[in-house]
Amino acid sequence: MNASDMDLLVEQFGDSVYRYCKSITFKPEDAEDLYQQTFLKAFELQKRISMERNPKAYLMSIAMNLWRNQKSRYARRERIAPTISSSEEGVQLEDIRAEGDILDGIVKKEEITQLKKCVEKLPDKHRQVVLLFYAAQLPVEDIAKTLKIPKGTVKSRLNKARTMLKEEMEAQGYGIR
């Protein structure tokens, strides 16, 4: 793999990788950092990337592993020396184009906020599958390769996550289809 192949990877999969990074970090600044780190790591590991063997799944696994490492380092630091925040940071939402009534846009935005909070509460193994499937738009086979688990396990975790999300959203007064 050479520099032009790396350019091709960024061109073909950059948007998907960024959406995935944004979905797991919930903040655009963190997503941008993770996105850059992902492609820097991919550049370091370019000899391992094969254009024939699903490079998108490989890029997603790099992003996922980098994020896990960052979370672990942060948790370790917090145990040693907790930081005190002067203001709470909320979940960043994508821009929602209100179709028609502004009130509909506000309601939709609130539902998305609640759904994201519910996704954050999912156990890690279920949250990963949901984010890879919906945010990164990976098929089940690629998620299985990325997480190194059987396809059936991916399907069952995705089904369980959907059930958990539906129950949680209904408990909060939101209906999910």
Coordinates of all heavy atoms in Angstrom, one line a residue, residues 110-142:
E110 N -35.4 16.5 20.7 CA -35.5 15.9 22.0 C -35.5 14.4 22.0 O -34.8 13.8 22.8 CB -36.7 16.5 22.7 CG -36.9 15.9 24.1 CD -35.9 16.3 25.1 OE1 -35.2 17.3 24.9 OE2 -35.7 15.5 26.1
E111 N -36.2 13.8 21.0 CA -36.2 12.4 20.9 C -34.8 11.8 20.6 O -34.3 10.8 21.2 CB -37.2 11.9 19.8 CG -38.6 12.1 20.2 CD -39.6 11.8 19.1 OE1 -39.1 11.6 17.9 OE2 -40.8 11.7 19.4
I112 N -34.1 12.5 19.7 CA -32.7 12.1 19.4 C -31.8 12.2 20.6 O -31.0 11.4 20.8 CB -32.2 12.9 18.2 CG1 -33.0 12.5 16.9 CG2 -30.7 12.7 18.0 CD1 -32.7 13.4 15.7
T113 N -31.9 13.3 21.3 CA -31.1 13.5 22.5 C -31.4 12.3 23.5 O -30.4 11.8 24.0 CB -31.5 14.8 23.2 OG1 -31.2 15.9 22.3 CG2 -30.7 15.0 24.5
Q114 N -32.6 12.0 23.7 CA -33.0 10.9 24.6 C -32.4 9.6 24.1 O -31.9 8.8 24.9 CB -34.5 10.8 24.9 CG -35.0 11.9 25.7 CD -34.3 12.0 27.1 OE1 -33.7 13.1 27.3 NE2 -34.4 11.0 27.9
L115 N -32.6 9.3 22.8 CA -32.1 8.1 22.2 C -30.6 8.0 22.4 O -30.1 6.9 22.8 CB -32.5 8.0 20.7 CG -32.0 6.7 20.0 CD1 -32.7 5.5 20.7 CD2 -32.4 6.8 18.6
K116 N -29.9 9.1 22.2 CA -28.4 9.1 22.4 C -28.0 8.8 23.8 O -27.1 8.1 24.1 CB -27.8 10.4 21.9 CG -27.7 10.4 20.4 CD -26.9 11.7 19.9 CE -26.8 11.6 18.4 NZ -25.9 12.6 18.0
K117 N -28.8 9.4 24.8 CA -28.5 9.1 26.2 C -28.8 7.6 26.5 O -28.0 7.0 27.3 CB -29.4 10.0 27.0 CG -28.9 11.4 27.1 CD -29.8 12.3 27.9 CE -29.4 13.8 27.9 NZ -30.3 14.6 28.7
C118 N -29.8 7.1 25.9 CA -30.1 5.6 26.1 C -29.0 4.8 25.5 O -28.6 3.8 26.1 CB -31.4 5.3 25.5 SG -32.8 6.0 26.4
V119 N -28.5 5.1 24.3 CA -27.4 4.4 23.7 C -26.2 4.4 24.6 O -25.5 3.4 24.8 CB -27.1 4.9 22.3 CG1 -25.8 4.3 21.7 CG2 -28.3 4.6 21.3
E120 N -25.9 5.6 25.2 CA -24.7 5.7 26.1 C -24.9 4.8 27.3 O -23.8 4.3 27.8 CB -24.7 7.2 26.6 CG -24.0 8.1 25.7 CD -23.8 9.5 26.4 OE1 -22.9 9.6 27.3 OE2 -24.6 10.4 26.0
K121 N -26.1 4.5 27.7 CA -26.3 3.7 28.9 C -26.2 2.2 28.6 O -26.1 1.4 29.5 CB -27.7 4.0 29.5 CG -27.8 5.3 30.1 CD -29.3 5.5 30.6 CE -29.5 6.9 31.1 NZ -30.9 7.0 31.6
L122 N -26.2 1.8 27.3 CA -26.1 0.4 27.0 C -24.8 -0.2 27.4 O -23.8 0.5 27.5 CB -26.2 0.2 25.5 CG -27.6 0.4 24.8 CD1 -27.4 0.4 23.3 CD2 -28.5 -0.6 25.3
P123 N -24.8 -1.4 27.8 CA -23.5 -2.1 28.1 C -22.6 -2.0 26.8 O -23.0 -1.9 25.7 CB -23.9 -3.6 28.3 CG -25.3 -3.5 28.7 CD -25.9 -2.4 27.9
D124 N -21.3 -1.9 27.1 CA -20.3 -1.7 26.0 C -20.5 -2.6 24.8 O -20.4 -2.2 23.7 CB -18.9 -1.8 26.6 CG -17.8 -1.2 25.7 OD1 -18.1 -0.1 25.1 OD2 -16.7 -1.8 25.6
K125 N -20.7 -3.9 25.1 CA -20.8 -4.8 24.0 C -22.0 -4.6 23.1 O -21.9 -4.8 21.9 CB -20.7 -6.3 24.5 CG -21.9 -6.7 25.3 CD -21.8 -8.1 25.8 CE -23.0 -8.5 26.6 NZ -22.9 -9.9 27.1
H126 N -23.0 -4.1 23.7 CA -24.2 -3.8 22.9 C -24.1 -2.4 22.2 O -24.5 -2.2 21.0 CB -25.5 -3.8 23.8 CG -25.8 -5.1 24.3 ND1 -25.5 -5.5 25.5 CD2 -26.4 -6.2 23.6 CE1 -25.9 -6.8 25.7 NE2 -26.4 -7.2 24.6
R127 N -23.5 -1.4 22.9 CA -23.3 -0.1 22.3 C -22.4 -0.2 21.1 O -22.7 0.5 20.1 CB -22.7 0.8 23.4 CG -22.6 2.3 22.9 CD -22.2 3.3 24.0 NE -20.9 2.9 24.6 CZ -20.8 2.4 25.9 NH1 -21.9 2.3 26.6 NH2 -19.6 2.1 26.4
Q128 N -21.3 -0.9 21.2 CA -20.4 -1.1 20.0 C -21.1 -1.6 18.8 O -20.9 -1.0 17.7 CB -19.3 -2.0 20.4 CG -18.3 -1.5 21.3 CD -17.3 -2.6 21.7 OE1 -17.4 -3.8 21.4 NE2 -16.2 -2.2 22.3
V129 N -21.9 -2.6 19.0 CA -22.7 -3.2 17.8 C -23.6 -2.2 17.2 O -23.7 -2.0 16.0 CB -23.4 -4.5 18.2 CG1 -24.3 -5.0 17.1 CG2 -22.4 -5.5 18.6
V130 N -24.4 -1.4 18.1 CA -25.3 -0.4 17.6 C -24.6 0.7 16.8 O -25.0 1.1 15.7 CB -26.1 0.2 18.8 CG1 -26.9 1.4 18.4 CG2 -27.1 -0.9 19.3
L131 N -23.5 1.2 17.4 CA -22.8 2.3 16.7 C -22.1 1.8 15.4 O -22.2 2.6 14.4 CB -21.7 2.8 17.7 CG -22.3 3.5 18.9 CD1 -21.2 4.0 19.9 CD2 -23.2 4.7 18.5
L132 N -21.6 0.6 15.4 CA -21.0 0.1 14.2 C -22.1 -0.1 13.1 O -21.8 0.2 11.9 CB -20.2 -1.2 14.4 CG -18.9 -1.0 15.1 CD1 -18.3 -2.3 15.5 CD2 -17.9 -0.2 14.3
F133 N -23.2 -0.6 13.5 CA -24.3 -0.9 12.5 C -25.0 0.4 12.0 O -25.1 0.6 10.8 CB -25.3 -1.8 13.2 CG -26.4 -2.3 12.2 CD1 -26.1 -3.3 11.3 CD2 -27.6 -1.8 12.2 CE1 -27.0 -3.8 10.4 CE2 -28.6 -2.2 11.3 CZ -28.3 -3.3 10.4
Y134 N -25.3 1.3 12.9 CA -26.1 2.5 12.5 C -25.2 3.7 12.2 O -25.4 4.4 11.2 CB -27.1 2.9 13.6 CG -28.2 1.9 13.7 CD1 -28.3 1.0 14.8 CD2 -29.2 1.9 12.8 CE1 -29.3 0.1 14.9 CE2 -30.2 1.0 12.9 CZ -30.3 0.1 13.9 OH -31.3 -0.8 14.0
A135 N -24.2 4.0 13.0 CA -23.4 5.2 12.7 C -22.3 4.9 11.6 O -22.1 5.7 10.7 CB -22.7 5.6 14.0
A136 N -21.7 3.8 11.7 CA -20.6 3.4 10.7 C -21.2 2.7 9.5 O -20.5 2.6 8.5 CB -19.6 2.5 11.4
Q137 N -22.5 2.3 9.6 CA -23.2 1.6 8.5 C -22.4 0.4 8.0 O -22.4 0.2 6.8 CB -23.5 2.6 7.4 CG -24.3 3.8 7.8 CD -24.6 4.8 6.8 OE1 -23.8 4.9 5.8 NE2 -25.6 5.6 6.9
L138 N -21.9 -0.4 9.0 CA -21.2 -1.6 8.6 C -22.2 -2.7 8.6 O -23.1 -2.8 9.4 CB -20.1 -2.0 9.6 CG -18.8 -1.2 9.6 CD1 -17.9 -1.7 10.7 CD2 -18.2 -1.3 8.2
P139 N -22.1 -3.6 7.6 CA -23.0 -4.8 7.6 C -22.6 -5.8 8.7 O -21.5 -5.7 9.3 CB -22.7 -5.5 6.2 CG -21.5 -4.8 5.7 CD -21.3 -3.5 6.4
V140 N -23.4 -6.7 9.1 CA -23.2 -7.6 10.2 C -21.9 -8.4 10.0 O -21.2 -8.5 11.0 CB -24.4 -8.6 10.3 CG1 -24.1 -9.7 11.3 CG2 -25.7 -7.8 10.7
E141 N -21.6 -8.8 8.8 CA -20.4 -9.6 8.6 C -19.2 -8.8 8.9 O -18.2 -9.3 9.5 CB -20.3 -10.0 7.1 CG -21.4 -10.9 6.6 CD -22.7 -10.2 6.3 OE1 -22.7 -9.0 6.0 OE2 -23.8 -10.8 6.4
D142 N -19.2 -7.5 8.6 CA -18.0 -6.6 8.8 C -17.9 -6.3 10.3 O -16.8 -6.2 10.9 CB -18.1 -5.3 8.0 CG -18.0 -5.6 6.5 OD1 -17.6 -6.7 6.1 OD2 -18.3 -4.7 5.7

